[in-house]
Every structure is written in structure tokens, then in C-alpha cells.
Amino acid sequence: MTVTKPAANRVDLILSGPLDSEMMGDALDRIIAASEDVRHGQMLFAIESFEMPTMGAWAAELVRIPKLLAAVMRFDRCAVLSDVAWLRTTAEIEGKVIPSLEIKSFALAQGDAAEAWLTGEDGEEDENFPV
């Protein structure tokens, strides 16, 4: 997993291939660190190729849940790019469960649309705009 911070309020993740406990722990630590000073952030999560994480990887995530939840609360929007339909659906369900985070999923080929949505340049009006 690659973690980058292209802007002060943006963190990008690219997942490609398998994750074991060491890789997962390292990636999650980098996500937490990159998110520390983010406020009203945007996240782009591209899943280029997906393999189920190992049990050790799940354990590495579980021990970091409190810090991960704190990091997630720093973001307003997350665009998920994947060609795996059930991953896109799962991501959008997570967005309904986490009230402060809006998640929208896109196919990998829709990178431009995901970028436009993240920055609000897609022409869609915000449903929660105060009246």
C-alpha cells in the first residue's frame, strides 16, 4: 500500500496486491501520521488489485482502531476507486455508517470524475447545504 499526501488536506492511498500484518501495520501507521494535521480533508483510495488481507493484517488493523477512527474523523470526503463492484458497494455502505464522512465509489477508469467529486468541481450540489 502506498500512502502519499499531495496537499495539506489530502491523503491518497493505493492498494495493489496482498497485505500481511507487517505491511498492513506499516501502511496504517503512515495513514495515521499523514492525517494528523488534516482538517476537513479529502481522501482518494485506489484499489488497483485486491487480494484478501491475511488474518495477521486484520489483527494489525484491530489494534489500531482507536487511532484509525480519530484519523477518519479528520476527513469529509473519500473517493474509492476500484473495478471490484462489491468493494465499491461496501465503501458506500461504510459512508452511511460514518456520519461525518461522505464516501463515493468509482470504477478505476473514472479517476477524473473522482477527483472532480472530491474537490466539489463535479457540478453536484451539496445535499446538506444550509438554507
Side-chain angles (χ1 to χ4, degrees), residues 31-123:
I31 292 166
I32 291 165
S35 303
E36 282 183 2
D37 61 344
V38 170
R39 300 292 177 265
H40 302 289
Q42 304 164 352
M43 181 181 290
L44 180 71
F45 187 10
I47 305 167
E48 294 178 346
S49 69
F50 178 77
E51 293 183 34
M52 285 302 282
T54 66
M55 291 303 288
W58 290 111
E61 184 174 2
L62 283 174
V63 299
R64 289 169 177 81
I65 289 287
K67 289 182 179 181
L68 283 172
L69 289 175
V72 165
M73 301 308 277
R74 296 182 179 116
F75 292 89
D76 292 340
R77 283 189 164 193
C78 177
V80 176
L81 294 166
S82 176
D83 284 338
V84 181
W86 70 265
L87 287 175
R88 291 192 310 265
T89 301
T90 301
E92 293 201 5
I93 290 169
E94 282 186 26
K96 306 239 184 281
V97 174
I98 304 170
S100 64
L101 181 63
E102 186 177 2
I103 299 176
K104 187 168 181 176
S105 62
F106 302 84
L108 280 173
Q110 296 176 302
D112 290 343
E115 290 284 347
W117 177 79
L118 273 177
T119 59
E121 297 175 9
D122 62 349

Side-chain angles (χ1 to χ4, degrees), residues 19-31:
L19 282 175
D20 63 19
S21 61
E22 186 177 328
M23 290 184 288
M24 178 70 92
D26 179 58
L28 295 175
D29 290 342
R30 286 184 282 129
I31 292 166

